Amino acid sequence: MPGNRAVVYEGPGKVEVHEISYPEFELKDGPGVNPANVGRKLPHAAILKTVATNICGSDQHMVRGRTTAPQGLALGHEITGEVVETGPDVEFIKVGDLVSVPFNISCGRCRNCKEGKTGICENVNPDRPGSAYGYVDMGGWVGGQADFALVPYADWNLLKFPDKDRAMEKILDLAMLSDIFPTGYHGCVSAGVGPGSTVYIAGAGPVGLAAAASAFLLGAAVVIVGDLNKERLDQAHSFGCETVNVALGEPGDQIEHILGVPEVDCAVDAVGFEARGHGRESEEEHPATVLNTLMGVTRAGGALGIPGLYVTGDPGAREDAAKHGALSIRIGLGWAKSLSFATGQCPVMRYNRQLMMAILHDRVQIAKAVNATPIPLDQAPRGYHEFDEGAARKYVLDPHGMLTSVS
């Protein structure tokens, strides 16, 4: 049985690569594992040799100490891999298949899964609907920033790439299918982006950049990206986005300079609960800033897609209410403008096959848009640090050196 290394959360600001157990077809006790999940048999699972596994902004919330994640948690929910073993109940996925893993863990059997709401599966997390690998309060499924990872309900969850050699030629693009590309796309679809739309996307991190690329794929006429980080804004500008630096003032004024009017048809929140203020308040956290701004700049009758993460518990919040997920949102403004809101995990399986086809047929270059950058697994601590410092990159961990020839 081969060894297994994984990126492990060691406390606020610190991750390390440790030896962990090789996956088995049973969920063992460990950091973050819900007691009701301990001993759960997994004959329907597959074990993957990890080809690519990405560092996500959602991981950073935990590593910054802004959640209740326990020390020792193996991180990582963006997984692309090669099947090396299957359980006795796996019928269609085969050893040797190259596959993408939706970050949502879903059973395919419950009411929500059958309705396509795979982000809120009712059977995989005893705490509440919805689950993910290597994430706080998500049931305790072991993270995939590792040499090997286990995927339950493999026939249901895994997206097989139709041609392995062709897929490896575009593996950095396909590695984005596990989370950020569908998540950004979902934000745009939820906001009603379509041909001729004007779109404002708050946040130029990887999800914001993925949302911008998605908006173009959906036919948007103008895509405006707002952020505080010039390097990330430059990355957005590199593939055709207009940009606004919110450190210089309110986005509405800058949007008016671009469009001639201070409003857009659609808006996407790709920031989440660690949002900062605008202008002179840009160095301070104001967790409701982005939501309130989007309500202000979106035309009456429009919609907001909100893939940015909001949590029920934030021990690092400046305000007591925000520590419990209560924000000062101008819901009256949203109501008066008849705005629609879409929140929650992206149901990845709703989009990943179509987006795979767009990648394979050269309709989108998502790895280029998000500046995907492969690094070895043992350099994960450096990747986390540089990403936290604002690097305009999407770090892709390469546990087995399989990305070297395509980077």
Side-chain angles (χ1 to χ4, degrees):
M1 186 176 295
N4 195 20
R5 301 167 300 157
V7 180
V8 174
Y9 172 62
E10 291 291 332
K14 187 177 181 181
V15 298
E16 293 183 356
V17 178
H18 290 302
E19 292 286 334
I20 66 168
S21 299
Y22 186 81
E24 299 180 40
F25 294 101
E26 179 181 325
L27 192 55
K28 305 290 187 179
D29 197 8
V33 180
N34 188 292
N37 259 351
V38 174
R40 185 170 181 164
K41 305 297 183 183
L42 307 169
H44 43 70
I47 297 172
L48 307 186
K49 176 183 178 180
T50 304
V51 173
T53 177
N54 314 332
I55 297 174
C56 181
S58 298
D59 299 321
Q60 291 284 23
H61 294 307
M62 290 186 291
V63 173
R64 292 186 189 117
R66 298 299 296 267
T67 72
T68 56
Q71 293 184 22
L73 183 70
L75 301 171
H77 55 271
E78 300 190 18
I79 310 164
T80 306
E82 180 182 9
V83 178
V84 295
E85 189 176 354
T86 59
D89 289 353
V90 177
E91 186 175 359
F92 303 109
I93 290 293
K94 305 298 183 184
V95 170
D97 287 347
L98 188 63
V99 295
S100 178
V101 184
F103 81 90
N104 329 98
I105 304 172
S106 56
C107 71
R109 296 155 166 79
C110 69
R111 174 180 175 178
N112 283 339
C113 284
K114 290 180 178 180
E115 292 178 357
K117 302 172 184 175
T118 56
I120 43 175
C121 174
E122 298 172 324
N123 288 333
V124 289
N125 182 2
D127 286 324
R128 61 174 187 245
S131 189
Y133 305 89
Y135 212 83
V136 59
D137 296 333
M138 288 292 183
W141 301 90
V142 178
Q145 288 174 9
D147 289 315
F148 297 92
L150 182 133
V151 177
Y153 303 102
D155 280 330
W156 165 254
N157 282 304
L158 293 178
L159 173 65
K160 176 185 173 181
F161 301 139
D163 184 304
K164 194 171 183 180
D165 291 337
R166 186 181 178 195
M168 283 303 297
E169 293 174 359
K170 296 179 177 291
I171 193 64
L172 285 180
D173 295 279
L174 294 170
M176 303 304 130
L177 289 174
S178 57
D179 183 355
I180 66 162
F181 192 13
T183 293
Y185 191 85
H186 178 62
C188 289
V189 170
S190 300
V193 177
S197 296
T198 57
V199 187
Y200 177 64
I201 296 168
V207 170
L209 296 171
S214 299
F216 284 124
L217 190 60
L218 288 163
V222 183
V223 179
I224 304 169
V225 179
D227 204 289
L228 302 161
N229 182 315
K230 182 180 182 303
E231 185 182 3
R232 290 181 171 181
L233 290 173
D234 288 345
Q235 179 64 25
H237 185 71
S238 74
F239 61 96
C241 301
E242 301 286 346
T243 60
V244 300
N245 188 334
V246 298
L248 302 179
E250 291 299 322
D253 297 333
Q254 299 177 68
I255 290 170
E256 184 173 17
H257 180 74
I258 295 167
L259 296 177
V261 291
E263 65 180 19
V264 291
D265 298 323
C266 319
V268 177
D269 175 2
V271 177
F273 74 100
E274 288 192 67
R276 297 184 190 180
H278 298 150
R280 288 177 294 180
E281 296 183 336
S282 62
E283 296 300 315
E284 303 174 1
E285 278 198 15
H286 293 274
T289 295
V290 170
L291 292 172
N292 289 331
T293 295
L294 296 195
M295 285 189 277
V297 302
T298 304
R299 66 180 297 275
L304 278 58
I306 310 174
L309 177 66
Y310 289 88
V311 294
T312 56
D314 175 9
R318 295 173 61 231
E319 304 168 2
D320 287 341
K323 291 180 180 179
H324 305 286
L327 309 182
S328 299
I329 297 172
R330 297 184 63 193
I331 193 65
L333 174 63
W335 189 93
K337 296 177 74 173
S338 295
L339 298 176
S340 300
F341 300 75
T343 65
Q345 287 187 31
C346 164
V348 171
M349 293 174 67
R350 190 178 298 173
Y351 309 107
N352 62 353
R353 182 173 296 278
Q354 300 95 307
L355 296 178
M356 174 189 73
M357 295 300 288
I359 289 169
L360 293 176
H361 292 276
D362 299 316
R363 298 302 179 190
V364 64
Q365 293 181 305
I366 189 64
K368 183 178 180 181
V370 302
N371 198 14
T373 305
I375 59 174
L377 184 71
D378 59 12
Q379 291 185 23
R382 173 177 71 85
Y384 269 92
H385 174 73
E386 292 179 1
F387 188 35
D388 193 47
E389 291 293 307
R393 298 178 181 274
K394 175 67 171 178
Y395 284 105
V396 182
L397 302 179
D398 183 8
H400 299 280
M402 299 177 72
L403 305 181
T404 304
S405 61
V406 297
S407 61

